[in-house]
Every structure is written in structure tokens, then in C-alpha cells.
Amino acid sequence: MKLQQSPASSGPKLVKKHLSFVVLLVSILLLTMFWVATHETEKLLQNQLLLQGRAFFQEILLTRQWIAQHKGVFVPPEPGETVNPYLLMVPGLKTKIRDESGQEYILKNPALATREISELAQDNALFQFHITSLKPFNPANQPDAFESAALTAFENDRQEYTALTTSPQGQPVFRYMAPLRVQPDCLSCHNIQGYRVGDIRGGISVTISASDAIAQINKTQWLLAGVAAVMWLLIAATIISVGKALITQLTKAESRLLEWATRDALTSLWNRREGHRLISQAIAHSNRQHRPLSLLVMDIDFFKHVNDTYGHSAGDEVLKLVAATIRDALREYDTPCRTGGEEFLVGLPDTDLNQALRIAERLRELIDRTPITLSGSPPCHVTISIGAAVLRPDDSLDTLLARADAAMYLAKQTGRNRVVAEATMPLPQ
């Protein structure tokens, strides 16, 4: 027979809720770590580009300073090459010389030399730089939007200007720009523009390809994402595994606690409190559905004699065997319980009084004809007296139980080992 269950606690649900919160917390933590790591990686790579831009700028600046200190350099002209026409506008500036062999050399001023170095670097796919000013001497040195913004910032004491952007060809580039201040050597060419030593004459912008850096950032981000995903899976799997083990242990512990709270420790039947609760529920259901319900009260005859003759251990064995006989003979939806000592109570849903009496008689006969074998003692024979009562419209458990109990005492008074219905004479044996 399948015994009814008492409502379980919400312990496992609470554990699952907390485990879900832990998994969510770990997910947020890993996402935060991933964001910080990727952000720091981007900052690191951008700092590398910044350092590279600064280094190129300093190299260009030193080259310009060296050329300016020597008032420009004279080089043999390329075929068809002439003197920079803007140099011819500077009064008294020598732009051509010849050596003893008659070889002609033309002047390369710092700006022109810098521009030609830039073209050479660009041809070799290294980097690109551009000398520019808000008041350029050479129209070719007109600033673009990035350079105009940088030059304006320099006039407001900004020391450098950077941007990660795209080239006209759509390639990612890093742009760096720093100001050029007028040195005494610069005035030989730029005095006519009204500059003074220390003025910001313009700036040099450096353009570096960022394709490799962006590719490295993307690679690093994918790697970090993969590591974060693996960590999340491992941690989540661990939490779920531990959680399942915890829930299993908690469920077992709750089941044991439920057994201790609702079962009779000796017979494993429902105890008095749980039996009364379940039968009260069945009574309420029967009243709502207008269905019959009967109650049996049973007491083992002369049980004190069993304890006195065979000992209390043997008495416990008798109680367990009688309880097992009652449990096995009942239906799945019946409610057997031990209410104390040698007394038992059975709720019989959907059972009228005649049906209850037949069930009670069958139980009485089973116990009467079943010898009980005790350890170290001869077989023991016990009988039971049973009182039966049927639910009335105005009944509570107490009133129904009182009538069944009175019928059981009547069975005791009229000879024991018999079944008595409420307000009736004993059934014939």
C-alpha cells in the first residue's frame, strides 16, 4: 500500500534559487573581468601606438633641428628638379652652390627635407608624417580636419593630440601630432611671417597603420572571451554539481525529518498528529463532495499480558507485525496510524459503514489466525477489538472519533476479538 505524503518544505527550491543567484553573480563577475581585461588591452595597445608616434615625432624633430642648425642642406638635384620656389621668396637666402668640379647643389630647407623623408617612409609602407600650420608658408602644408583640431588645441596649451581613425582608403590608422615651436634657426626662413622664438609655428602629424594593432586587439579579445567562457562553464558546472549534491543531501535530510515528524518510529505508520491531520483533510473533502467516509479504532486485546509474559521487546515485535498486517491489507488511499500504545486508527475514504465493517472484519480475521513468531519465545497469538463509525453531515474528527472509540470499547466489553459498529450490538462471530 502506498502511504500518503505530508507537504515537503521548500528547502531544495531555496537552494536552487540561491545557486541561480550565485551563477548570475559569477557571470556578472566574469563579464566585468572580461570588460576590464579587454579595456586594459585596448589601452595597452593604444599606448604602444602612442609611444611609437612619439618616437617617430622625436626622430623627425631631431632631423629638422639638425638641418635647421646647418641652415639647410645642399644636395645634388634630381633630373628636372629646381629650387623650392618658396625659398626664393626669402631675401638674401642662398639657394644654389657649386663645388670645385662645377657640380651644382640646391638648398633643401627643413620643411622640404622633412616632406621628402615622409614620402620615402610612405613609399616603404612605414609611416607618414606631415608638417602643417594654421598659417602655412607652403599651400601644400595646409592642415586637414584632424590637424586643424590639433593646432587649435596646441594654442590652448595642449601638448599632444591623438586619434584612432580611418584613412581615406578605409584602413585603420593611429594619428599623433605635437606642436612645433619656433627656434632661432627657423627665423632665417620664417621671419617674414612675423614669428618670434617660442611661438607655436605649427605641428608635425604622424600617421601610423593600426591594422596590426586592431588585429591584435581582436585576437586578444577573442582569446579573453574564450578563456572567460571556459571559466564560466567550469565554474557553472562546479556550482551545479555541488548544488545537485547539496539538494540531494538536503532532500534526503528533509525526508528523514519528515519521517521523524510524521511517522511512528516503531511501526512506520503515521503518528497520531499526522494521522489526525490527514483524516481531517479527508473529512473536509468528503463533506465538500458529499462522499462517505468511515473510521476504525482498533486495540490489541490483552496487550499488557503480552508485555508481562514475553517482555517489552516482544511487545514491540507484536506491535510491528500487527501494524504491517493492517498496512498491507488496506487500500492505497486509506490512512492507518498508531495513536498510542496498542491502539490504531484507520481512515477509510469513500467507504460507507457496511463496507467499513467488512474491511474491519477482514483485518480482525487476519490478525486472529496469524501466529506471531517472537525471537527466543514460542509463537504468540493476539486478537484485536475494532469499533467502526461513519461520517455524518455535522461531524468533525473529534465527534466521529468519539463514536468509533465508543464502539471499540463496546467490543472490549462484550468479549473482545470482535467488530462493533457505532450504536449497534456486536456483529455475530
Side-chain angles (χ1 to χ4, degrees):
M1 160 185 133
K2 183 179 178 181
L3 296 180
Q4 302 172 50
Q5 293 293 321
S6 181
S9 81
S10 58
K13 290 184 179 179
L14 190 62
V15 171
K16 289 180 181 178
K17 181 179 178 180
H18 282 81
L19 288 177
S20 299
F21 175 75
V22 171
V23 172
L24 177 62
L25 189 63
V26 169
S27 301
I28 294 173
L29 179 61
L30 286 176
L31 284 174
T32 303
M33 292 173 61
F34 172 72
W35 180 86
V36 171
T38 54
H39 182 67
E40 290 301 315
T41 301
E42 289 178 0
K43 284 177 58 178
L44 178 61
L45 291 174
Q46 288 184 10
N47 285 337
Q48 289 178 348
L49 290 171
L50 176 61
L51 292 175
Q52 192 175 358
R54 287 173 178 170
F56 285 147
F57 175 84
Q58 290 299 326
E59 290 177 6
I60 299 163
L61 189 62
L62 290 173
T63 301
R64 284 178 52 80
Q65 288 178 352
W66 183 87
I67 296 173
Q69 287 173 2
H70 292 81
K71 311 300 182 183
V73 294
F74 287 89
V75 299
E78 296 291 333
E81 185 180 11
T82 60
V83 175
N84 184 346
Y86 297 99
L87 297 179
L88 300 176
M89 299 170 60
V90 180
L93 182 65
K94 182 182 285 190
T95 59
K96 290 183 181 182
I97 60 172
R98 290 182 183 274
D99 62 15
E100 296 176 350
S101 66
Q103 171 67 51
E104 184 181 58
Y105 296 85
I106 61 175
L107 179 65
K108 298 282 188 178
N109 67 319
L112 182 58
T114 303
R115 185 166 65 249
E116 290 181 359
I117 294 172
S118 172
E119 292 170 356
L120 183 62
Q122 187 175 3
D123 291 341
N124 287 275
L126 297 175
F127 59 93
Q128 180 183 359
F129 54 88
H130 182 225
I131 299 172
T132 186
S133 170
L134 291 176
K135 297 187 294 182
F137 194 64
N138 184 342
N141 293 335
Q142 285 287 344
D144 60 19
F146 166 80
E147 293 166 336
S148 294
L151 291 167
T152 301
F154 297 155
E155 292 183 351
N156 294 316
D157 296 328
R158 182 83 170 263
Q159 298 303 310
E160 58 185 5
Y161 200 83
T162 62
L164 188 60
T165 181
T166 55
S167 68
Q169 294 74 31
Q171 298 299 315
V173 292
F174 177 79
R175 301 196 68 182
Y176 174 88
M177 190 169 179
L180 281 176
R181 295 187 180 274
V182 175
Q183 303 295 326
D185 297 325
C186 301
L187 294 177
S188 60
C189 295
H190 295 279
N191 188 39
I192 61 174
Q193 292 177 284
Y195 286 117
R196 293 177 297 178
V197 174
D199 288 348
I200 295 177
R201 182 170 59 83
I204 299 177
S205 68
V206 180
T207 302
I208 306 169
S209 173
S211 297
D212 292 341
I214 297 296
Q216 185 63 40
I217 289 175
N218 292 336
K219 181 179 178 181
T220 303
Q221 287 179 340
W222 278 110
L223 179 62
L224 290 173
V227 171
V230 171
M231 288 179 61
W232 185 87
L233 288 173
L234 289 175
I235 294 173
T238 301
I239 292 174
I240 291 172
S241 177
V242 172
K244 284 184 176 180
L246 180 61
I247 290 173
T248 299
Q249 294 301 318
L250 182 60
T251 302
K252 289 180 179 179
E254 286 191 341
S255 296
R256 287 194 293 269
L257 289 173
L258 185 62
E259 288 288 326
W260 295 338
T262 61
R263 298 286 183 182
D264 176 64
L266 180 64
T267 64
S268 295
L269 297 181
W270 298 122
N271 60 24
R272 178 187 180 89
R273 184 181 63 181
E274 185 65 10
H276 282 198
R277 186 186 72 83
L278 293 173
I279 294 172
S280 294
Q281 288 182 348
I283 289 173
H285 177 77
S286 295
N287 284 330
R288 287 194 302 270
Q289 301 296 323
H290 304 289
R291 303 290 298 173
L293 180 143
S294 296
L295 201 65
L296 302 180
V297 173
M298 297 175 280
D299 190 87
I300 300 176
D301 298 327
F302 302 110
F303 185 70
K304 184 176 182 301
H305 175 73
V306 174
N307 281 332
D308 293 341
T309 304
Y310 302 100
H312 287 280
S313 295
D316 288 347
E317 289 188 50
V318 169
L319 288 172
K320 288 191 286 187
L321 290 170
V322 169
T325 301
I326 293 171
R327 181 178 61 240
D328 294 342
L330 293 176
R331 301 163 298 187
E332 288 187 359
Y333 50 85
D334 294 332
T335 306
C337 61
R338 181 188 176 200
T339 54
E342 67 273 22
E343 189 170 293
F344 299 89
L345 179 67
V346 178
L348 302 172
D350 288 325
T351 306
D352 60 25
L353 185 59
N354 288 331
Q355 292 170 323
L357 293 174
R358 287 195 291 272
I359 292 172
E361 184 60 24
R362 185 172 71 252
L363 288 173
R364 185 198 66 76
E365 289 179 355
L366 280 172
I367 293 170
D368 184 28
R369 65 172 181 256
T370 303
I372 299 175
T373 303
L374 304 174
S375 301
S377 301
C380 174
H381 176 261
V382 296
T383 60
I384 58 171
S385 297
I386 305 176
V390 69
L391 182 67
R392 297 174 183 173
D394 57 345
D395 264 339
S396 65
L397 174 61
D398 290 338
T399 57
L400 178 61
L401 181 58
R403 295 201 309 277
D405 200 47
M408 185 272 295
Y409 276 107
L410 184 58
K412 291 279 191 182
Q413 293 167 3
T414 55
R416 293 182 172 84
N417 190 23
R418 63 191 59 213
V419 175
V420 172
E422 57 176 320
T424 67
M425 295 300 292
L427 295 180
Q429 302 296 313

